[in-house]
Amino acid sequence: RGNRCAYDFTNNFFKLAEHHGLELPDVDPRLLLENVIAHADFSSPENISNAYHEALNRAEHFFIKDGYNNYRSRNVWFRSRVQRSGIRNFKLLKEEPFYDCLVFHSPNPAKEGTVVGLILPADVAVHTHFVVKPDGSRANARVMVKVKETNSLIDPFAFRYDNRSRCHQALNENGTWQRMTFDSHVYQISDTEIITEEELNSPPIPVHMLEGQNIMKSIEFPSMVFVILPDDKAEHYGVAKMLSHFQFGVQSQCIIATKYLGQRNDRSKDQYCSNVAIKVNAKLSSTTNKAHAWGTYHGNVEGIPWVTDCPTFVMGISLSNTMGQNAVSIISASACLDGSCMRFAQDVRIQSKTEILDESTLVSLTKGLLIQYFLQNQKKPERILVYRDGISDGSFSRVQALEIQCFRTAFMEFKKEIFGDNGGDGGNANGSVLNCPPITFVVCMTRNNIKMVPARDDGKKNVWSGTVLDNVIMDMPNLKIKETEKVEKPESNDHYIYSEPDGKGYDFILVAHGGRMGTSKTVHYRTILNENAVWRPNNPNAKPLTKQDLELLTFHMSFQYSTASKAVRIVPVVHYSSRLANMAMSYINYLRGTKGSFGQKISMTGLAEPDPTELKYHQNRDGSLRARFQYIRGDFEQRQDIPSHLKTSLLPRFAALNFVDINGDDESQVEGNNASYQMPFFSHIAA
């Protein structure tokens, strides 16, 4: 069944992917099926792991090493992206985190074996090879393509082999691909000097190359691993996601064989493949392509209302608890990287069971996402908007007293890490109100008994999408701004007063989605802090966050769930966080070593003593204090070259860390934090 599904799905997916804007490698799907796919016996997690590893090795042999001569025989190159710092002599290149590249294998000029050579775009690096001319002199040259239809040479990036039409194509001035007949590769030294391959005295040597451990760390490869599961058993899915997220750090997409083969007809199978393509598109959104499924407009302005006025950091936090005696809390967070709120960075932490997040957990989680936001936008956020779920009514005061301060601390640590200063905070390591962007903190209460139905029976059993209840029973002074009022505004501060807060509060109940069956479930948005209604950053475009603006931007964001064409019940920044937490929950026992035979992949490290006012919430029935801990990756525990805020991350490969700077040998330690920050190839995991 798995073989049949793999062949059928791959062929259908290749046909439909282009309609979704997916760029596929120039490979015949039959070659992939014969040479790249690895088959697994799903009787044990270890068999799945072995097959996963085998598939990655086969893909590397096929694409990077061109082991089956697929690219050389067609006189083209494998196209990918490369991280700047992974290239030899990268300091000579212009400042960009990633470059498009063409990959080829070449003899190693210094020793036996081969190296991975790179062809970079001409505006990044003109020369691709060192060549020896017929007279014995050396020169820098760029490899070009000569075709029979024209005398003009074609740049390698404008030349490809199209498998569907089974011919070569060149990109013309109109931006369309035109059929061409390959003649030869030539090496262009200047506009007037060109050398053919036959005239070279020795094999050309690539100017830019990768070797050793940097190869797989530096190249975007693989972009996606497809895992075809025989059924929808949770343990199979959990192992696949653990291998993708935790062990290998690659994006993955699962296909359920029984569901795909159970489709009624070819049209239904095409729809299944289209749904998969939508998910793949969301996961492959990156810093360079900045892809998103659709845009959103409010009037003539693109993006989410209020969020696009000035740099705004929108973050969603979800907390899920496992079951049983050794229960833990899985904290997942997502941050919007652009004004459309469709591109996300995500991360996960695990700590002892709790409702209120520990300071070190929340600070490290927020700091990592702030760094990704800065690397993406090259500017600090001027406002912070947080959506949080997993909080009960009775914990609001605890959240305000403990969690909100963590965002100020995280912002101060972020500024010190990136800019090397304390942001004029007078040495206050924890961050004060006025030296952190104004914060709006909204609790999303999905578990409520509030029902909203149409007042008139017009044949529609549910209220319309976007129905909001925000007055009469909702008017209550829920804005907590007292701590801000006590702070005397310094003359040189970047904050200005809008107005006094709205005494009626900022709570509202929203039905964002259009229910088809049953009664639509509401979400009660409780605003426990709204400094953005009072404090204005030093930006002329900023405006206060009124209740109407908060409702509108929340509703607009509900349409930004990239795998659904309609609004979802809760804001996607929380929805995606909840999905990622559930994924982590599916494989947490494998990481703890209580399931499977992978061994213990994570270990406990103690947390600081709780605040004295919190002791009663951390006691056992006999009055003793419960154990407080968080989990740290076992391979990072003794490492000194990993930033402290990433040691507790389950997903460092999707975080802002330059792994080219990290020594792969655990026994070789680097004193001090020498790692640099780099946007990951992909950061949106839970689409």
Side-chain angles (χ1 to χ4, degrees):
R1 179 188 295 168
N3 291 343
R4 179 178 152 213
C5 180
Y7 281 79
D8 197 17
F9 171 80
T10 303
N11 284 318
N12 279 354
F13 186 80
F14 264 63
K15 293 176 184 176
L16 293 168
E18 188 174 346
H19 297 294
H20 291 269
L22 288 171
E23 183 178 338
L24 298 175
D26 298 327
V27 178
D28 189 330
R30 292 174 296 181
L31 291 176
L32 292 179
L33 294 168
E34 294 171 2
N35 302 307
V36 177
I37 287 180
H39 301 278
D41 177 4
F42 283 82
S43 60
S44 71
E46 293 72 27
N47 291 339
I48 302 175
S49 176
N50 293 336
Y52 204 110
H53 195 271
E54 181 187 353
L56 292 178
N57 288 337
R58 287 188 174 191
E60 179 185 356
H61 182 72
F62 186 93
F63 290 104
I64 303 299
K65 298 180 180 179
D66 197 14
Y68 294 95
N69 206 30
N70 175 68
Y71 292 98
R72 280 192 297 270
S73 64
R74 290 173 168 80
N75 298 295
V76 291
W77 303 268
F78 171 61
R79 184 163 184 165
S80 185
R81 287 189 303 159
V82 64
Q83 187 174 318
R84 176 176 179 267
S85 57
I87 305 174
R88 184 185 296 181
N89 300 324
F90 70 89
K91 293 182 179 179
L92 301 177
L93 304 175
K94 71 177 186 178
E95 288 279 352
E96 293 287 347
F98 305 109
Y99 306 117
D100 288 334
C101 68
L102 301 176
V103 181
F104 62 95
H105 244 240
S106 174
N108 193 330
K111 50 188 176 181
E112 294 183 0
T114 59
V115 295
V116 174
L118 301 175
I119 300 174
L120 300 178
D123 61 340
V124 175
V126 174
H127 301 120
T128 63
H129 291 80
F130 300 114
V131 297
V132 179
K133 298 193 291 186
D135 60 4
S137 61
R138 298 177 180 271
N140 294 330
R142 183 172 184 84
V143 64
M144 301 291 281
V145 179
K146 183 180 180 182
V147 295
K148 295 180 179 180
E149 286 80 0
T150 176
N151 293 326
S152 300
L153 299 180
I154 299 173
D155 190 83
F157 283 88
F159 189 74
R160 72 178 186 182
Y161 182 83
D162 184 63
N163 277 289
R164 288 191 302 177
S165 59
R166 299 190 179 279
C167 69
H168 287 97
Q169 295 178 340
L171 193 65
N172 59 31
E173 296 178 354
N174 299 326
T176 58
W177 292 95
Q178 182 178 353
R179 182 169 183 157
M180 292 289 178
T181 305
F182 175 81
D183 182 48
S184 64
H185 289 141
V186 297
Y187 294 86
Q188 186 175 29
I189 298 174
S190 66
D191 291 340
T192 57
E193 187 175 4
I194 298 172
I195 299 178
T196 64
E197 290 182 310
E198 292 76 14
E199 294 174 326
L200 295 176
N201 273 349
S202 61
I205 300 173
V207 173
H208 305 289
M209 63 181 76
L210 304 170
E211 55 185 344
Q213 294 181 349
N214 282 359
I215 293 178
M216 300 311 294
K217 291 180 179 180
S218 303
I219 294 179
E220 179 197 310
F221 182 83
S223 300
M224 178 71 63
V225 174
F226 289 91
V227 183
I228 299 179
L229 303 175
D231 48 46
D232 56 358
K233 288 184 179 179
E235 54 265 33
H236 294 160
Y237 181 81
V239 172
K241 289 302 178 183
M242 180 198 69
L243 296 171
S244 301
H245 295 173
F246 186 89
Q247 187 164 336
F248 297 108
V250 299
Q251 289 281 33
S252 65
Q253 179 61 50
C254 292
I255 293 92
I256 310 299
T258 53
K259 290 186 177 180
Y260 177 77
L261 296 176
Q263 300 297 316
R264 295 188 302 271
N265 48 46
D266 291 343
R267 183 176 180 182
S268 297
K269 288 182 178 180
D270 289 349
Q271 184 60 53
Y272 186 98
C273 292
S274 292
N275 293 340
V276 171
I278 292 173
K279 289 175 173 285
V280 171
N281 245 334
K283 292 176 181 178
L284 295 185
S285 177
S286 66
T287 306
T288 51
N289 61 43
K290 299 180 180 178
H292 48 82
W294 50 77
T296 182
Y297 289 84
H298 180 57
N300 296 324
V301 180
E302 184 178 7
I304 302 297
W306 189 81
V307 173
T308 53
D309 293 344
C310 68
T312 304
F313 181 70
V314 182
M315 182 176 178
I317 304 173
S318 179
L319 183 147
S320 298
N321 295 319
T322 61
M323 305 292 288
Q325 185 177 2
N326 299 318
V328 294
S329 292
I330 299 176
I331 301 100
S332 172
S334 305
C336 301
L337 297 179
D338 60 3
S340 69
C341 294
M342 285 200 81
R343 298 185 51 246
F344 297 90
Q346 296 185 286
D347 208 348
V348 177
R349 300 290 191 279
I350 303 176
Q351 71 166 78
S352 49
K353 190 174 181 180
T354 183
E355 185 180 18
I356 305 301
L357 306 186
D358 183 79
E359 179 182 3
S360 63
T361 301
L362 186 52
V363 168
S364 64
L365 191 62
T366 306
K367 179 181 174 182
L369 295 177
L370 279 168
I371 291 174
Q372 288 209 49
Y373 178 90
F374 171 77
L375 293 175
Q376 171 64 40
N377 297 282
Q378 291 301 306
K379 59 183 69 172
K380 295 183 292 185
E382 297 177 7
R383 302 182 296 201
I384 296 176
L385 172 59
V386 180
Y387 290 93
R388 166 86 149 88
D389 78 345
I391 302 177
S392 60
D393 284 341
S395 301
F396 284 0
S397 59
R398 296 171 61 202
V399 169
Q400 189 181 25
L402 300 173
E403 289 193 9
I404 290 175
Q405 179 57 40
C406 293
F407 292 98
R408 299 187 178 114
T409 304
F411 189 80
M412 290 305 301
E413 291 190 8
F414 152 73
K415 288 200 293 185
K416 293 175 184 178
E417 189 84 22
I418 299 299
F419 303 102
D421 60 20
N422 59 14
D425 203 39
N428 185 353
N430 292 327
S432 67
V433 174
L434 291 177
N435 282 283
C436 172
I439 298 172
T440 297
F441 195 99
V442 182
V443 177
C444 310
M445 304 188 71
T446 56
R447 297 180 181 179
N448 61 68
N449 296 320
I450 303 171
K451 299 290 189 293
M452 295 173 62
V453 296
R456 294 179 299 176
D457 185 7
D458 56 358
K460 184 175 176 60
K461 297 181 180 180
N462 275 310
V463 295
W464 292 98
S465 170
T467 302
V468 65
L469 177 62
D470 64 353
N471 56 58
V472 186
I473 66 170
M474 296 306 305
D475 287 342
M476 56 181 295
N478 51 40
L479 178 69
K480 305 295 183 183
I481 205 71
K482 294 180 180 178
E483 73 274 27
T484 330
E485 294 173 346
K486 294 178 182 179
V487 180
E488 184 175 349
K489 177 181 176 295
E491 294 181 0
S492 60
N493 200 267
D494 288 339
H495 294 68
Y496 301 87
I497 297 291
Y498 281 126
S499 62
E500 293 302 316
D502 183 359
K504 294 183 178 180
Y506 295 80
D507 287 2
F508 60 96
I509 299 172
L510 176 64
V511 178
H513 61 301
R516 294 184 177 182
M517 298 178 64
T519 303
S520 297
K521 293 183 177 181
T522 62
V523 178
H524 191 175
Y525 291 94
R526 303 291 302 274
T527 308
I528 63 175
L529 179 70
N530 189 6
E531 293 176 343
N532 284 293
V534 179
W535 295 106
R536 177 175 67 83
N538 187 15
N539 189 314
N541 297 321
K543 62 181 181 180
L545 182 57
T546 63
K547 179 189 286 189
Q548 288 71 29
D549 287 332
L550 182 58
E551 294 166 358
L552 188 62
L553 74 89
T554 302
F555 179 57
H556 272 253
M557 285 176 62
S558 299
F559 286 88
Q560 302 305 83
Y561 193 71
S562 54
T563 55
S565 58
K566 297 182 180 180
V568 293
R569 181 188 177 200
I570 194 170
V571 283
V573 72
V574 172
H575 200 328
Y576 281 127
S577 297
S578 180
R579 278 181 56 85
L580 184 56
N582 289 334
M583 288 180 185
M585 192 180 299
S586 70
Y587 58 74
I588 177 63
N589 288 331
Y590 292 110
L591 300 181
R592 293 198 287 186
T594 60
K595 195 174 182 180
S597 58
F598 295 109
Q600 190 171 344
K601 299 289 187 181
I602 53 179
S603 56
M604 292 183 186
T605 179
L607 290 172
E609 291 293 320
D611 188 272
T613 60
E614 286 284 299
L615 286 177
K616 63 180 180 180
Y617 300 105
H618 298 274
Q619 292 177 345
N620 295 312
R621 292 182 179 180
D622 60 0
S624 60
L625 197 64
R626 287 198 300 266
R628 284 171 40 80
F629 57 87
Q630 61 182 339
Y631 278 104
I632 187 172
R633 288 180 64 105
D635 52 348
F636 283 3
E637 190 171 5
Q638 303 299 324
R639 299 285 294 270
Q640 301 300 317
D641 54 347
I642 303 294
S644 58
H645 72 274
L646 287 179
K647 283 196 171 185
T648 55
S649 171
L650 287 189
L651 315 173
R653 282 287 182 180
F654 300 96
L657 180 62
N658 185 354
F659 271 86
V660 175
D661 289 347
I662 303 299
N663 193 319
D665 185 359
D666 288 344
E667 297 178 358
S668 176
Q669 303 299 320
V670 179
E671 293 297 328
N673 177 14
N674 294 324
S676 59
Y677 294 112
Q678 168 80 53
M679 278 295 290
F681 283 114
F682 305 109
S683 58
H684 189 183
I685 312 163

